Amino acid sequence: MRYFATICIAAYAGMAGAGGLNSLEVFVKTVNTGRADFTQVVTAPAKDGQAPRAKTSSGTFEFARPDRFKFVYKKPFEQSIVADGQTLWLYDVDLNQVTARQQSKVLGSTPAALIAAAPDLRALQADFMLVDAPEQDGLQWVTATPKAKDGQLQTVRVGFRDAAAAPGSTLEVLEILDSFGQRSVMTFKQFQANPALPGSSFQFKTPAGADVIRQ
């Protein structure tokens, strides 16, 4: 799937502190549901003297802790990623193909799990180190570095609007750098904290005629 790897690729761990860590803790504790628009820019490293190649996509994001979320990519390709609490569904409209995976096996320690499912920071300590990063662009930042040396991830940065300037921490940016030098930046706009989201928002119905692959 085109963007699944850039979303579900990393985990976080650490203890709360000042700055970004505090904003992360406030976000996890106080934002139980959320909704936002997003733009994602994936930039591949330059090759043979050529300029880096960037691909931009956009869509909507919703989540309900502890285990449900939905990314709907609208441009340039239609794609849905839905976690209903049991199964992670990936639907590629162009291919008319659905991939179904057991959620507990693929989302235990990922950025998607962090922003949409983590109940507290203590649950995120096993795999990654979290540290405060310098304030930038008016945001509080957390940098995550994996403890494992054989993964696909180098670092992750998460940017929050200052909790003191808003009712709770507002998720603004998720940056992922993988071991191949590919950088993915997901920017969230019009973020709504704790909207009323019906359970049906996270129910996936297989489209008629779609091929279903279960892994």
Side-chain angles (χ1 to χ4, degrees), residues 3 8 14 48-49 59 84 86 92 95 98 102 105 111 116 118-119 131 141 149 164-165 167 171 176 195:
Y3 297 104
C8 301
D48 301 325
D84 63 12
Q86 300 294 325
D92 190 307
L95 299 178
V98 175
Q102 188 174 335
K105 292 184 177 180
V131 297
W141 291 89
K149 303 303 181 182
L171 178 67
I176 302 169

Side-chain angles (χ1 to χ4, degrees), residues 127-139:
D127 299 318
F128 279 72
M129 297 295 293
L130 278 178
V131 297
D132 282 315
E135 183 176 341
Q136 181 181 347
D137 300 325
L139 302 180

Side-chain angles (χ1 to χ4, degrees), residues 38-116:
F38 71 83
T39 299
Q40 183 177 17
V41 179
V42 179
T43 305
K47 293 183 179 179
D48 301 325
Q50 299 178 354
R53 293 172 292 125
K55 296 182 180 179
T56 301
S57 57
S58 61
T60 61
F61 168 56
E62 295 179 337
F63 72 89
R65 297 187 194 279
D67 54 12
R68 294 173 294 167
F69 63 83
K70 178 170 63 177
F71 288 89
V72 178
Y73 287 84
K74 298 180 178 180
K75 295 179 180 180
F77 305 104
E78 293 185 58
Q79 181 189 53
S80 298
I81 302 172
V82 181
D84 63 12
Q86 300 294 325
T87 303
L88 181 71
W89 303 92
L90 296 91
Y91 174 49
D92 190 307
V93 175
D94 289 348
L95 299 178
N96 199 24
Q97 178 178 293
V98 175
T99 302
R101 304 180 183 183
Q102 188 174 335
Q103 187 170 322
S104 61
K105 292 184 177 180
V106 296
L107 288 179
S109 53
T110 67
L114 169 71
I115 61 178

Side-chain angles (χ1 to χ4, degrees), residues 23-39:
S23 292
L24 174 60
E25 182 176 43
V26 170
F27 180 77
V28 171
K29 285 184 175 181
T30 65
V31 182
N32 296 312
T33 63
R35 177 191 290 130
D37 298 330
F38 71 83
T39 299

